[in-house]
Amino acid sequence: MGTIKTADEIDHRRRRVLGAAAMTIAAAQLGLIGSADAQDSTQSPPTKPGTNTSFAPLKQIEAGLLNVGYAEAGPADGPPVILLHGWPYDIYSFVDVAPLLASAGYRVIVPYLRGCGSTRFLSGATSRNGQQSVVAVDVIALMDALKLENATIGGFDWGARTADIVAALWPARCKALVSVSGYLIGSQEAGTAPLPPAAELQWWYQYYFATERGRAGYDKYRRDFSKLIWRLASPKWNFDDATFDRTAASFENPDHVAIVIHNYRWRLGLAEGEAKYDDLEKRLAEGPVITVPTITMEGDANGAPHPDPSSYARKFSGKYSHRTITGGVGHNLPQEAPQAFAEAVLEVAQS
């Protein structure tokens, strides 16, 4: 006996078919689909870093403890992708990635993390807490506010750690994961373990921030400090002043310094977290395995501290692959190699 489909079901199926076609076309443009025997002279050229310099007007939404500022691109009914930046960076790390994913039919959400850009605390009484679990809680609150059941999540630096945590603790909310520098979940206990001197040297700013002089210095010289980190973390990235200035404006957030300083002091056990997140931190300290489909990435010229890919491969039990992006790509991989990052998101989202 045949099944009669409702108009809504027919429309949903039609949108899925059209969406799949759009994604196939975009994937071909990105270079994911091709033939060694055929060369199409009309194919769009690869997106180069710096192709885009702005987003559509930003949006604001109340989510959990925050009023979150975020960029959005792509169709409102497209499969959602959330892209998370690190420190000292902001949403402009994805200014070239977002249009690529939007052209493939995805709804792309790029939020400012707490302490950055137009994201603000709803209450002056809220602790300016930067511990690892709370940033992930912010992402879940944002998804709830946007009524997103789940999403493909990608990020680097703080954003990669946050994406890892969402995937590990709330796998039903994370459809798939792209994580630059791999598995970055840690704990205060792990932060007390001394490293070899060369490795400790890379964390010089962590110890600087542990002092009152460091807090005052970062507050006073936050632009100069951040530009220095950019140069050290991406030694072969020849960014211009306009590129840096677009991001540096987000550091004028009134809570920026407090969040950054608390984050690094908390890692060393020099600042307390909030008791309501203790259970989450205990689970994270166990090093939970991530089960969702994952692609990890690394730039071949990453000057920031980062683990070797072989050290974390076993932390991913689902469909998994790693890729190293060559060509002098540093720590800010999405902005330095947007084509490669977008390709990874497209691939893992369709796993």
Side-chain angles (χ1 to χ4, degrees):
M1 182 175 178
T3 302
I4 299 174
K5 296 186 180 295
T6 66
D8 285 345
E9 289 173 323
I10 293 170
D11 182 62
H12 179 68
R13 183 177 179 182
R14 178 175 176 271
R15 284 190 284 118
R16 286 183 61 188
V17 171
L18 291 175
M23 292 173 202
T24 300
I25 292 170
Q29 292 176 337
L30 282 167
L32 292 174
I33 301 173
S35 169
D37 300 323
Q39 300 259 337
D40 183 356
S41 61
T42 65
Q43 180 173 311
S44 300
T47 296
K48 296 181 180 179
T51 297
N52 300 284
T53 59
S54 64
F55 292 98
L58 300 186
K59 300 180 178 183
Q60 298 287 143
I61 190 169
E62 289 191 5
L65 300 174
L66 304 170
N67 184 290
V68 178
Y70 66 99
E72 182 169 351
D77 62 348
V81 173
I82 298 175
L83 302 177
L84 303 173
H85 67 81
W87 171 86
Y89 307 94
D90 79 335
I91 63 173
Y92 282 94
S93 290
F94 301 103
V95 72
D96 289 320
V97 173
L100 292 172
L101 299 179
S103 71
Y106 287 86
R107 180 187 181 187
V108 186
I109 307 293
V110 192
Y112 280 113
L113 301 187
R114 55 171 54 199
C116 294
S118 61
T119 291
R120 296 289 189 275
F121 286 90
L122 296 174
S123 170
T126 302
S127 174
R128 272 39 178 177
N129 181 351
Q131 71 184 96
Q132 62 177 352
S133 61
V134 75
V135 188
V137 170
D138 290 344
V139 174
I140 295 297
L142 175 62
M143 293 178 68
D144 289 344
L146 293 172
K147 296 180 170 56
L148 301 179
E149 183 178 341
N150 59 30
T152 297
I153 305 178
F156 75 104
D157 195 85
W158 287 25
R161 177 177 295 106
T162 302
D164 289 347
I165 293 170
V166 173
L169 297 187
W170 298 279
R173 308 301 297 272
C174 182
K175 180 179 183 294
L177 172 69
V178 175
S179 180
V180 177
S181 298
Y183 190 91
L184 298 177
I185 297 172
S187 67
Q188 285 185 309
E189 183 178 359
T192 64
L195 302 173
E200 296 283 20
L201 180 62
Q202 289 187 302
W203 285 111
W204 63 272
Y205 55 88
Q206 185 169 243
Y207 303 115
Y208 180 62
F209 288 163
T211 68
E212 177 54 26
R213 177 186 174 118
R215 188 209 61 77
Y218 184 59
D219 192 9
K220 182 177 181 179
Y221 299 109
R222 67 184 81 174
R223 290 175 68 94
D224 292 340
F225 195 102
S226 297
K227 184 175 285 189
L228 174 61
I229 295 295
W230 279 32
R231 288 172 174 159
L232 293 174
S234 298
K236 297 186 179 181
W237 182 30
N238 295 316
F239 60 88
D240 58 22
D241 287 342
T243 297
F244 176 77
D245 290 343
R246 277 189 290 273
T247 288
S250 72
F251 308 150
E252 298 306 314
N253 182 296
D255 300 304
H256 179 74
V257 173
I259 296 297
V260 171
I261 296 301
H262 184 267
N263 176 281
Y264 286 103
R265 290 183 180 180
W266 179 87
R267 294 191 201 190
L268 294 176
L270 301 176
E272 295 293 329
E274 291 181 82
K276 62 183 176 180
Y277 303 115
D278 285 352
D279 288 343
L280 295 179
E281 293 297 347
K282 288 177 182 177
R283 293 169 63 188
L284 294 174
E286 295 172 355
V289 170
I290 291 173
T291 59
V292 306
T294 299
I295 292 176
T296 58
M297 308 182 75
E298 192 61 80
D300 66 341
N302 186 357
H306 60 279
D308 186 273
S310 63
S311 70
Y312 55 69
R314 62 184 176 81
K315 287 295 187 180
F316 301 95
S317 65
K319 184 176 181 181
Y320 172 73
S321 65
H322 174 82
R323 55 195 59 170
T324 297
I325 309 304
T326 60
V329 175
H331 189 60
N332 186 4
L333 192 151
Q335 195 163 4
E336 297 176 61
Q339 190 91 12
F341 191 88
E343 288 176 1
V345 173
L346 279 176
E347 181 178 329
V348 78
Q350 298 176 54
S351 297

